Amino acid sequence: MTLGFSLNGKESALGKTERKSLPDRRDRKCKGPEAATEKVVLSNKKEEATMVEESYLKLPVTTGLQKSRIFNNQLREPLPHLLIKTSLELLCLPQDSGAGRLSFCTKVCYGIGGVPNQVASSAIAFYLQLFLLDVAQIPAAQVSLVLFGGKVSGAAADPLAGFFINRSRRTGSGRLMPWVLGCTPFIAVASFFLWFLPPFTSLRGLWYTALYCLFQALATFFQVPYTALTMLLTPSPRERDSATVYRMTLEMAGTLMGATVHGLIVSGAHGSHRCKETALPGQVAVSPNATRLYCIAATVVAVTYPVCSSLLCLGVKERPDASPRASGQGLSFLAGLRLTVRHPPYLKLVISFLFISAAVQVEQSYLVLFCTHASRLHDHVQSLVLTILVSAVLSTPMWEWVLQRFGKRMSAFGIFGMVPLAILLAAVPTAPVAYVVAFVSGVSIAVSLLLPWSMLPDVVDEFQLQHQHGPGLETIFYSSYVFFTKLSGAGALGISTLSLDFAGYESGACKQAEQVVVTLKVLIGAVPTCMILIGLCILMVSPAPKVPSRTSSRSLGRRTSYSLA
């Protein structure tokens, strides 16, 4: 197979002799590398290889680094493996690298990277508390310690992750990507044993506390570099927001998959037959079938980590930070942390979503317990969870349009929708009301998850315009934000679970006391309502950060796409 190429309007000698064999100009973009590859592999003559190399270097499709990498590997790699690798690279090339645009493949692969943590977190949010109370049969006070200790461990790991990642050097695969890949096997093992029922009973509280702390710490070292990768995908704020929407949409899909698949597998362990088989009050013995079902569900969750991390590594290329470095040495982690927490827009953003995220976590954690013990909605648990998550996934693109059309501050009012309906569900726990509440709650949860991650890049841009401290501080912003939100969730879940112990919750019992029922109604209605109202008030009364001017944004290499106003 012979190819001819032209440079600056002049045809090569090879092109003149084989003009009829030239491919169409529109097809040259896709067929050039493969044709050149086939020529080099099949030819054993030095002059033919040199001729193909010279023609290949004229291709306008790839960058110089990608050309050299593909060509240098041609003489060493088998043809089928090389074609697959080259095809993946070409699919994920941006359409306009000068404008910082990201390809569809890059955005999808980036979003897939966040799926495993959301699958595991969704299963934990909806079912871990029920598993610890009714299957592991741990007292409510110890369950409170498990949840509080795990959340605190994850929160404490955030600044540590920011510190170590900030001091790490850039490798061939980037500065953030090695952390994601390194945590993958360990977090997969930890997520499996979190749902494993040990043979001993006296130290189960300590067993699950240690495993949950380990899982949360590993999940933090996985999530912090992954979310900070948003700033290093492209210098374009609009493309960063678009990548954030892809990430949030796929993470919502992961949340949906985690709760649905995990719930369907373990539903047999919590069926109504469990209480009908015994007429004795008090605890019900755990069946071997329940432990087997939870082990199967844990295996499904653990497998998602290596699969999705591999796709993230193949489809996403981390770019060097384009921010200008300050003259002199960079800031230390502690100095950068002091600067970030003193930045008013960032501080107010963190405080407001501290309350909002805690409210969402309380709502998720106690929905299954409320339906099981405080209402007659036990048979609707899976359908209600599915309704919440499906409405959240489907409404995420709508909220992206609202963000662009009306601004981020106006979009925050969508969180208020779940306030009156949460109170209605606690007062009237019927099936029609529950499904309406589930749908509206999913829509509100979607914007509560999308909004802070869409605001954070704008806050980072404004901070760097004011201080010009160079790259690396975006990791501190993201890690400290996750730290404070996890800390608020730890306090909310720990105190609320402890209130169940004070109300007299009996682990493994089929019927709970009236005080427990009232406590569950308060936790599902009044507590999230108060937290959401406080968070929205702080977000609305705080002044919006100044939008960077066009000149300053150009010098920084970024610009803020949306105003918070």
Side-chain angles (χ1 to χ4, degrees):
M1 183 176 182
T2 308
L3 295 178
F5 296 92
S6 63
L7 181 62
N8 296 330
K10 298 180 180 180
E11 271 190 320
S12 63
L14 178 64
K16 292 178 180 179
T17 58
E18 297 289 346
R19 181 177 303 174
K20 292 184 179 181
S21 64
L22 283 172
D24 186 76
R25 184 176 184 85
R26 293 172 297 180
D27 297 332
R28 188 181 306 169
K29 182 177 179 182
C30 298
K31 298 181 179 179
E34 290 81 352
T37 300
E38 182 180 356
K39 180 68 178 180
V40 172
V41 174
L42 297 179
S43 175
N44 295 322
K45 298 179 181 180
K46 181 177 180 180
E47 58 270 20
E48 291 181 358
T50 304
M51 179 175 57
V52 175
E53 178 182 4
E54 291 174 354
S55 63
Y56 175 70
L57 293 176
K58 298 175 185 178
L59 287 175
V61 182
T62 58
T63 64
L65 177 62
Q66 291 163 336
K67 291 177 184 178
S68 62
R69 182 172 67 250
I70 296 174
F71 183 80
N72 290 336
N73 290 333
Q74 287 172 351
L75 298 176
R76 296 194 301 265
E77 300 187 49
L79 182 59
H81 178 269
L82 180 60
L83 291 177
I84 295 174
K85 181 179 178 181
T86 305
S87 301
L88 285 174
E89 291 182 353
L90 293 177
L91 281 174
C92 294
L93 284 176
Q95 298 175 356
D96 185 3
S97 59
R101 296 192 62 184
L102 298 174
S103 68
F104 173 77
C105 173
T106 299
K107 294 176 183 178
V108 171
C109 290
Y110 173 65
I112 290 175
V115 169
N117 257 358
Q118 299 305 315
V119 170
S121 299
S122 175
I124 289 172
F126 286 104
Y127 294 101
L128 180 62
Q129 198 171 29
L130 183 66
F131 169 76
L132 295 176
L133 289 171
D134 290 350
V135 177
Q137 296 187 355
I138 300 175
Q142 295 185 22
V143 174
S144 174
L145 180 62
V146 172
L147 298 179
F148 179 79
K151 291 290 185 179
V152 170
S153 174
D158 279 293
L160 290 177
F163 174 76
F164 287 114
I165 295 171
N166 191 45
R167 294 176 63 90
S168 62
R169 296 181 179 181
R170 182 176 177 84
T171 64
S173 57
R175 185 167 60 92
L176 303 177
M177 192 71 72
W179 289 92
V180 177
L181 299 178
C183 291
T184 298
F186 301 101
I187 192 173
V189 174
S191 65
F192 173 80
F193 282 102
L194 185 61
W195 302 96
F196 178 76
L197 191 66
F200 50 86
T201 58
S202 59
L203 298 177
R204 282 183 181 177
L206 183 61
W207 164 271
Y208 288 110
T209 301
L211 279 175
Y212 194 40
C213 290
L214 178 63
F215 172 81
Q216 288 289 347
L218 291 172
T220 297
F221 275 88
F222 182 96
Q223 191 71 15
V224 168
Y226 169 72
T227 52
L229 190 62
T230 307
M231 301 295 296
L232 303 182
L233 291 176
T234 173
S236 171
R238 184 171 293 274
E239 287 297 301
R240 289 203 307 262
D241 287 343
S242 178
T244 301
V245 173
Y246 275 81
R247 175 172 71 87
M248 296 304 301
T249 302
L250 288 172
E251 285 184 349
M252 290 285 188
T255 303
L256 174 63
M257 183 177 70
T260 304
V261 175
H262 192 278
L264 289 175
I265 294 175
V266 305
S267 59
H270 302 284
S272 57
H273 60 83
R274 171 176 167 268
C275 292
K276 293 180 180 179
E277 292 175 354
T278 179
L280 297 176
Q283 293 185 351
V284 179
V286 180
S287 64
N289 183 52
T291 60
R292 182 181 62 84
L293 292 176
Y294 271 99
C295 285
I296 294 175
T299 303
V300 173
V301 172
V303 167
T304 60
Y305 278 98
V307 173
C308 296
S309 297
S310 300
L311 292 175
L312 173 67
C313 182
L314 288 174
V316 176
K317 302 301 179 184
E318 180 182 336
R319 298 189 179 198
D321 197 310
S323 301
R325 291 185 179 270
S327 59
Q329 294 183 353
L331 289 174
S332 65
F333 175 80
L334 294 179
L337 183 61
R338 284 193 295 267
L339 282 175
T340 57
V341 297
R342 292 176 182 175
H343 189 52
Y346 178 71
L347 186 61
K348 292 167 183 176
L349 176 70
V350 168
I351 294 176
S352 62
F353 282 97
L354 182 146
F355 288 97
I356 295 174
S357 62
V360 172
Q361 292 181 58
V362 170
E363 188 83 14
Q364 289 179 334
S365 297
Y366 288 97
L367 176 64
V368 178
L369 281 176
F370 173 81
C371 294
T372 304
H373 298 297
S375 64
R376 297 181 179 179
L377 299 174
H378 184 277
D379 295 333
H380 300 274
V381 169
Q382 298 299 325
S383 300
L384 291 174
V385 172
L386 188 63
T387 302
I388 292 175
L389 299 177
V390 168
S391 63
V393 172
L394 296 180
S395 61
T396 300
M398 178 199 70
W399 284 119
E400 166 60 12
W401 177 82
V402 173
L403 288 175
Q404 298 186 30
R405 180 65 178 84
F406 300 102
K408 300 177 182 179
R409 181 184 291 268
M410 189 63 65
S411 302
F413 284 104
I415 305 174
F416 182 78
M418 63 185 298
V419 170
L421 294 179
I423 300 177
L424 180 62
L425 177 62
V428 187
T430 60
V433 173
Y435 281 102
V436 174
V437 172
F439 178 81
V440 178
S441 297
V443 175
S444 299
I445 289 174
V447 66
S448 71
L449 296 177
L450 176 64
L451 202 55
W453 297 113
S454 184
M455 287 180 171
L456 268 176
D458 297 341
V459 175
V460 174
D461 276 344
E462 186 192 26
F463 177 86
Q464 291 184 341
L465 281 173
Q466 294 178 2
H467 296 85
Q468 297 288 327
H469 284 297
L473 288 179
E474 72 279 346
T475 305
I476 302 178
F477 274 98
Y478 281 84
S479 62
S480 57
Y481 169 77
V482 179
F483 167 77
F484 289 117
T485 54
K486 284 185 178 180
L487 199 62
S488 66
L493 292 178
I495 295 174
S496 58
T497 308
L498 196 60
S499 66
L500 287 180
D501 185 68
F502 292 153
Y505 188 93
E506 187 176 356
S507 299
C510 291
K511 186 176 182 180
Q512 300 293 336
E514 185 64 27
Q515 294 86 345
V516 176
V517 175
V518 174
T519 303
L520 287 172
K521 290 183 178 181
V522 172
L523 292 174
I524 204 71
V527 173
T529 296
C530 295
M531 290 182 176
I532 290 175
L533 292 178
I534 294 174
L536 288 177
C537 289
I538 296 174
L539 186 64
M540 294 303 167
V541 300
S542 60
K546 297 180 181 179
V547 179
S549 62
R550 187 180 300 271
T551 303
S552 301
S553 301
R554 191 180 296 113
S555 65
L556 178 64
R558 302 186 182 110
R559 66 175 177 81
T560 303
S561 57
Y562 309 118
S563 169
L564 295 183

